[in-house]
């Protein structure tokens, strides 16, 4: 998940959500302290939208994981595919049609039945998207996984990987694809493939995305009426007070949530989140500062450290400053950055300098690639060879956000900027609010030269990292490399896992030679809960489920 994925943000959310805003304090029986059936969890930013079909940011997906369920899901605390709404699945001999056996007796939050027909309604909704629903800012994950749509309205969109959905009977559904793909079935674990109530989709006109590409307006369903099958149901979103409240689904098909209410409270400042935890105003928060891990542990708080299943990178936009299309300039930037110093001084214990654009725990990692050691003199020499000794670059960095791979963006910017300036590169600092300003500016157009961003893996396959970044033209990177794109296509369609992993190794070598950006680091982010909160298992995918959370008596 880009979990942290850069995409355009929601417009006019506050006005829509005010109609359903609830008072978080009334859910808790007053401010401060915790009732034993309500947990308040501090998050770093507001959700973008509550329909995960349109979500690509970590906070929207965090909420979606509690409300919606997918056909398959990650194993608890891991990355392997395990049963979700489907109990079992298998491909045909060609590997292009997957048959899923569904759970029976499951109901949506509106009381309607979950069945094979409902699954097809959802897949057909995504596949038949029109207008703004085909914008990469709206259906980011569909396009990353499936490519295009039934009728592409943009000539640059690829053909759809998805072909059709057939409900054989109430509990059997067949998903047909146009080719073998490394993404299936693992990508169906993504919250963006959560299954919605067909009744609610129709009742609230869920596909009516309006406005313009620069001013996207989501339908009321996506703000006020998300309706899934999960252990929690949506109750209210109080945008002005930055709280979103979920309540226990009493009719849940599985083990019911131990909490009656779950409240996500946006506290953008990391120190403020820490103080709220200590004072009892919240009972947990994500993205614990590296320096706070041991002190919080020593105070008795439950600090859980996730495996480092992410990447922080410096993106270089080759359509920005024309000089960035010169490989020598990109090599100079790579040599100018002291990545080890950044890891040692700004990231938590266990963080590592990145060699590839995915961590070494993913098959296909390749240690035998071109490496760019910290060497200021070499950086200066490469700039001189490229006629770019007086280079000035616009460097975008985000504010009001903390991400698993990016604990303190301003600190990281200052260190990277100082390194680049030491090599003779002039930097124009452009700080922008994370959502929507920074995400919009760095993923569209050509007004950005450099920015840092990252990715937390969605599932345990290398394509989810490097394919998402580099398998087609993207405004974030601004390059067109047909040979690279073709090799990605070959890897994705290779049915033999061992052969596919070999291609990933080749691709990692090709990427580091071409150098579209600089992989910086992999970090083990921490999540913390109150001294009396237990039951949540840390996930490398940031796929924590709160239904098992409870207060110790």
């Amino acid at each position: 998940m880009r979990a942290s994925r850069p995409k355009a943000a929601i417009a006019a959310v506050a006005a829509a959500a005010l109609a359903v805003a609830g008072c978080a304090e009334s859910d808790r029986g007053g401010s401060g302290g915790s009732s034993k059936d309500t947990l308040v969890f501090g998050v770093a930013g507001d959700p973008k939208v509550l329909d995960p079909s349109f979500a690509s940011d970590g906070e929207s997906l965090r909420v979606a994981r509690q409300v919606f369920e997918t056909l398959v899901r990650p194993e608890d605390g891991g990355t392997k595919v395990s049963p979700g709404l489907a109990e079992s699945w298998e491909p045909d001999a060609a590997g292009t049609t997957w048959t899923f056996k569904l759970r029976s007796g499951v109901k949506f939050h509106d009381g309607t039945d979950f069945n094979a027909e409902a699954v097809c309604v959802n897949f057909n909704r995504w596949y038949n998207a029109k207008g703004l629903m085909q914008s990469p800012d709206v259906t980011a994950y569909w396009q990353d996984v499936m490519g295009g749509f039934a009728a592409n309205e943009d000539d640059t969109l690829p053909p759809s990987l998805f072909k059709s959905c057939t409900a054989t009977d109430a509990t059997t559904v067949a998903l047909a694809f146009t080719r073998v793909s490394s993404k299936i079935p693992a990508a169906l674990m993504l919250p963006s493939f959560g299954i919605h109530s067909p009744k609610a989709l129709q009742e609230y006109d869920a596909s009516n995305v309006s406005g313009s590409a620069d001013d996207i307006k989501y339908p009321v369903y996506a703000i006020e009426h998300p309706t899934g099958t999960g252990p929690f149901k949506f109750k209210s979103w109080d945008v002005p007070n930055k709280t979103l409240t979920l309540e226990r689904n009493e009719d849940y098909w599985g083990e019911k949530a131990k909490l009656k209410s779950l409240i996500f409270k946006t506290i953008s400042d990391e120190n403020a989140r820490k103080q709220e935890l200590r004072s009892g105003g919240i009972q947990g928060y994500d993205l614990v500062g590296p320096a706070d891990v041991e002190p919080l542990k020593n105070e008795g708080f439950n600090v859980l450290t996730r495996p480092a299943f992410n990447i922080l990178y410096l993106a270089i936009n080759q359509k920005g400053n024309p000089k960035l299309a010169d490989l020598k300039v990109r090599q100079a930037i790579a040599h100018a950055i002291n990545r080890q110093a950044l890891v040692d001084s700004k990231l938590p214990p266990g963080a590592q300098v990145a060699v590839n654009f995915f961590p070494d725990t993913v098959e296909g990692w390749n240690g035998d690639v071109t490496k760019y050691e910290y060497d200021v003199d070499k950086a200066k020499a490469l700039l001189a060879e490229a006629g770019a000794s007086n280079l000035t670059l616009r460097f975008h960095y985000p504010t009001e956000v903390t991400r698993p791979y990016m604990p303190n963006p301003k600190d990281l910017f200052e260190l990277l900027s100082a390194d680049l300036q030491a090599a003779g590169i002039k930097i124009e600092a452009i700080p922008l609010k994370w959502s929507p300003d920074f995400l919009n500016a760095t993923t569209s157009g050509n007004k950005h030269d450099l920015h840092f961003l990252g990715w937390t893996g969605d599932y345990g396959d290398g394509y989810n990292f490097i394919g998402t970044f580099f398998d087609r033209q993207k405004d974030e990177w601004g390059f067109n490399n047909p040979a690279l794109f073709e090799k990605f296509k070959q890897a994705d369609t290779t049915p033999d896992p061992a052969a596919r992993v070999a291609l990933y190794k080749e691709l990692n070598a090709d990427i580091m030679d071409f150098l579209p950006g600089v992989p910086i680091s992999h970090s083990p982010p921490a999540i913390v809960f109150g001294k009396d909160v237990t039951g949540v298992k840390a996930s490398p995918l940031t796929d924590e489920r709160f239904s098992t959370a409870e207060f110790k008596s």
Side-chain angles (χ1 to χ4, degrees), residues 206-483:
S207 297
N208 185 20
V209 180
S210 59
S212 65
D214 296 325
D215 184 23
I216 297 168
K217 292 181 171 59
Y218 292 101
V220 67
Y221 174 82
I223 308 302
E224 301 177 16
H225 300 286
T227 309
T229 60
F232 288 99
K233 302 191 297 184
F234 173 75
K235 183 177 181 181
S236 63
W237 188 4
D238 186 348
V239 174
N241 289 313
K242 294 186 172 293
T243 56
L244 189 149
T245 302
L246 306 179
E247 61 184 357
R248 180 167 57 214
N249 175 12
E250 300 292 354
D251 298 316
Y252 186 57
W253 60 268
E255 184 178 352
K256 292 180 177 58
K258 293 177 169 60
L259 299 169
K260 180 180 178 181
S261 298
L262 173 61
I263 300 170
F264 293 111
K265 181 178 181 180
T266 301
I267 306 171
S268 58
D269 181 75
E270 179 186 320
N271 285 323
R273 291 196 297 276
K274 179 174 60 179
Q275 292 308 315
E276 278 283 281
L277 177 74
R278 285 172 166 160
S279 69
I282 62 176
Q283 292 76 54
Y285 70 89
D286 202 354
L287 309 177
V288 179
D292 295 327
V293 171
E294 288 305 317
L296 288 173
K297 282 183 179 179
N298 293 337
E299 292 172 35
F301 291 100
N302 294 315
V303 181
L304 310 176
T305 299
R306 305 180 180 104
F309 199 66
N310 55 39
I311 177 72
L312 170 69
Y313 59 77
L314 179 71
I316 302 172
N317 177 19
Q318 296 184 35
K319 281 190 176 179
N321 189 310
K323 289 291 186 181
L324 295 177
D326 188 325
L327 177 59
K328 289 184 178 180
V329 173
R330 302 198 300 278
Q331 291 172 335
I333 291 170
H335 282 295
I337 297 172
N338 190 341
R339 293 179 290 166
Q340 188 64 59
L342 183 151
V343 166
D344 292 343
S345 63
K346 303 300 181 183
L347 299 181
Q352 297 179 329
V353 171
V355 175
N356 297 172
F357 277 85
F358 59 68
D360 59 8
T361 53
V362 179
E363 288 188 304
W365 184 87
N366 186 353
D368 188 23
V369 300
T370 302
K371 299 180 179 68
Y372 300 87
E373 303 298 337
Y374 175 55
D375 189 333
V376 177
D377 290 337
K378 189 167 186 177
K380 289 179 178 179
L382 285 164
L383 289 171
E385 290 175 25
S389 296
N390 295 313
L391 187 63
T392 298
L393 297 176
R394 298 163 293 186
F395 194 156
H396 288 64
Y397 71 93
T399 64
E400 301 182 42
V401 70
T402 304
R403 301 308 311 143
Y405 47 79
M406 186 174 66
N408 190 320
K410 186 178 180 182
D411 286 354
L412 298 179
F413 165 77
E414 289 174 350
L415 192 152
L416 292 172
S417 177
D419 284 347
L420 293 169
Q421 290 180 80
I425 299 172
K426 299 179 180 66
I427 295 297
E428 178 186 347
I430 305 178
L432 293 174
K433 183 180 178 182
W434 170 253
S435 178
D437 303 338
F438 176 80
L439 298 181
N440 288 352
T442 57
T443 59
S444 61
N446 58 7
K447 294 182 179 180
H448 56 290
D449 297 330
L450 302 176
H451 67 274
F452 56 84
L453 202 57
W455 177 266
T456 297
D458 297 309
Y459 50 91
D461 187 272
Y463 202 96
N464 180 240
F465 284 86
I466 55 176
T468 299
F469 301 150
F470 305 126
D471 72 354
R472 62 195 185 280
Q473 292 187 60
K474 281 194 166 186
D475 284 349
E476 182 178 5
W477 309 94
F479 70 83
N480 182 17
N481 187 330

